[in-house]
Structure formats: structure tokens, C-alpha cells
Amino acid sequence: MMNVAIIAHTPDIEKVIASAAKLCYSQVGVEEISQAMDAEQANVFLEKLMTFGHYSPLEHASFTFAVEGVSRVLTHQLVRHRIASYSQQSQRYVKLDQFEYVIPPAIEKNETAKAIFVKAMQSDQETYNQLTEVLEATFVEEYKSSGMSEKKAKAAAEKRAIEDARFVFPNACETKIVLTMNLRSLHNFFEHRCCERAQWEIRELATEMLRQVKAIAPTLFEKSGPSCVKGACKEGKMTCGNAVKVRAFFESL
């Protein structure tokens, strides 16, 4: 099951961005601007800022998320958003004695499809275990013959074995990842991944991330979401045709 949590974010996030943005239009410095601006004034200024399309100040603040229970299908898409930082659980260093996996909803609700899917996952695990065992035994002897102690040989052999055995793992394999994005990148991420045309799993992630950041910085994310939330749908002929419904959902998120 997907689990998403904000584990860190820029303190006083709305005031930081308001101060940075106001500096662009002020003769005085940030310290004076900050001291003279209370939360209500910051909020009013940010409401204007978001209508100007002046988004560079949003890069001064960020959110860090811990995400678990998602597939490698999702993270392969996620890391395409390059203005961000990622730390993902490694299959090279972590031995998966029993890997967990994500079952797509369409497969979950079809008994025949689910049985085929689960059988494939079990086969992948068995193959991984067999490859690890065979390779590890080979590497242990290789390391011992070069003078390495048995304890060190086993440790080195296991690491080297799972490095290659992991090639049989499917995209369904569950993974964990920590990601940090600045607010401008988050707006871009939400525009693309909250859209109905996004793949279901990353759309679920993006929607939950948006819900959580909205609770912390509502003014900055009031109009965030797919492109139809703040204007016309950008998908052209590929539009889902449900802009009114989608807009209502994200406005009430």
C-alpha cells in the first residue's frame, strides 16, 4: 500500500517566498521586508504573485517526501522530473528474500489475471533465490582461493550475487524513495502527473502529495493541479473531456 509523508520542508515557507519575491520590487533589503510583513500581508502578496506568473521565487523553498509501497514503474517515471533530488532503496545492496509487489487495480479485480500475475511474481522470486545461491557459491570459492577469509568471502559473494540476480525482478517490485522538490518543480509535477492522462499510480502519488502540501502552504498551491485547474486543458485532442469534474475535485482537495 502506498504511503506518502512530508518529512521536512522550508520553515515559514510562505513568508520566505513572499520576502524573496517582494525584494524584486523593493528598495530595501530582505531583513527589513521580513520584519515589516506579517502572515496576513504575506498571504495577500502571495495571492497577487501567483496571478503574475512570477514563479522563480518559488524555487527558494522545498518539500521532502518519504514514499513507500510504490512500484518501480512509478519511480522510473518520477525520476524523469529532473529538478529534484532522489534517494531510492537499492536492489544492489539490499537482498530481497521476499520482495513485495504492486498489483494494478485492473489485474486485482480480475481473478484470472491476478492468478497469472501472482504466479509470475512467485516465479521471479524463486529465480532470484536460485541465481543468488548459485552465484554466491561460485564467488565464495573464488574469493577464498584468493586468500580471503570465509566470513569476508561470504559477505562479498552475497553482495556480488544479488547485484546480478536482481535483473530478474519485475517493474511491479515495491520500492522506497525519498524525494525533494522545490515549489516551482512541484507545480510542474502536479500539472503533468495529477492529470487524468497520467498513469494511475503516479497520479495517485501526485494527488496525495498535493493534498499534503496544500495543508501547509494553501495560498501557494491553491490553483495547483492539472492544467485545467487554472485554465484550459493543455492536452488538446487527447483531453479526458472531464475538465469541469477534475477542476472541482482539485479545488476542494
Side-chain angles (χ1 to χ4, degrees):
M1 180 180 295
M2 182 185 294
N3 184 45
V4 184
I6 294 172
I7 59 174
H9 64 79
T10 303
D12 298 322
I13 194 165
E14 294 192 328
K15 191 171 183 180
V16 167
I17 292 174
S19 298
K22 197 153 189 166
L23 178 68
C24 300
Y25 310 100
S26 176
Q27 293 181 334
V28 300
V30 171
E31 184 175 358
E32 187 173 340
I33 291 171
S34 182
Q35 290 176 349
M37 182 168 51
D38 59 24
E40 184 178 350
Q41 291 171 323
N43 186 65
V44 170
F45 182 75
L46 288 175
E47 287 179 347
K48 293 179 180 179
L49 180 73
M50 298 308 290
T51 64
F52 294 161
H54 184 190
Y55 295 140
S56 61
L58 300 182
E59 297 173 22
H60 293 297
S62 66
F63 282 89
T64 299
F65 302 84
V67 179
E68 299 183 356
V70 296
S71 73
R72 292 245 164 188
V73 168
L74 184 151
T75 57
H76 290 333
Q77 299 174 80
L78 179 61
V79 297
R80 292 174 64 189
H81 294 270
R82 294 185 293 276
I83 305 177
S85 298
Y86 303 101
S87 298
Q88 185 170 9
Q89 184 185 61
S90 173
Q91 292 179 342
R92 182 184 181 195
Y93 294 103
V94 179
K95 185 179 181 182
L96 300 180
D97 295 315
Q98 180 57 63
F99 79 91
E100 301 296 330
Y101 49 86
V102 174
I103 304 178
I107 294 177
E108 178 69 51
K109 66 183 180 182
N110 185 310
E111 290 186 12
T112 301
K114 184 177 179 180
I116 295 170
F117 187 88
V118 171
K119 184 179 180 180
M121 298 300 103
Q122 293 171 341
S123 177
D124 285 340
Q125 182 70 64
E126 291 169 2
T127 303
Y128 172 81
N129 293 343
Q130 291 168 1
L131 283 170
T132 299
E133 184 178 348
V134 170
L135 290 172
E136 188 174 338
T138 302
F139 297 148
V140 164
E141 293 306 313
E142 179 182 320
Y143 288 133
K144 286 171 65 177
S145 66
S146 66
M148 190 178 289
S149 70
E150 185 167 353
K151 182 178 180 180
K152 289 185 177 180
K154 285 184 177 180
E158 179 182 277
K159 185 266 178 185
R160 187 176 168 190
I162 65 174
E163 182 176 29
D164 287 345
R166 64 180 171 147
F167 275 68
V168 301
F169 278 138
N171 276 334
C173 192
E174 274 196 6
T175 187
K176 302 173 178 63
I177 192 166
V178 171
L179 65 131
T180 299
M181 288 187 183
N182 68 49
L183 272 64
R184 190 174 192 177
S185 289
L186 280 169
H187 274 278
N188 178 267
F189 176 69
F190 295 145
E191 180 174 324
H192 288 87
R193 302 303 184 172
C194 288
C195 178
E196 286 291 299
R197 293 199 63 242
Q199 184 258 350
W200 65 267
E201 190 182 17
I202 199 167
R203 184 173 68 246
E204 180 182 335
L205 170 66
T207 302
E208 177 58 21
M209 287 169 60
L210 176 54
R211 185 189 68 78
Q212 293 189 25
V213 298
K214 253 189 168 183
I216 295 172
T219 304
L220 292 167
F221 291 99
E222 182 182 3
K223 293 294 183 180
S224 194
S227 60
C228 61
V229 170
K230 52 183 176 290
C233 173
K234 292 183 179 180
E235 297 298 318
K237 294 181 179 179
M238 302 299 289
T239 181
C240 70
N242 296 315
V244 173
K245 182 180 178 181
V246 172
R247 188 179 298 119
F249 172 82
F250 282 98
E251 287 178 348
S252 64
L253 187 65

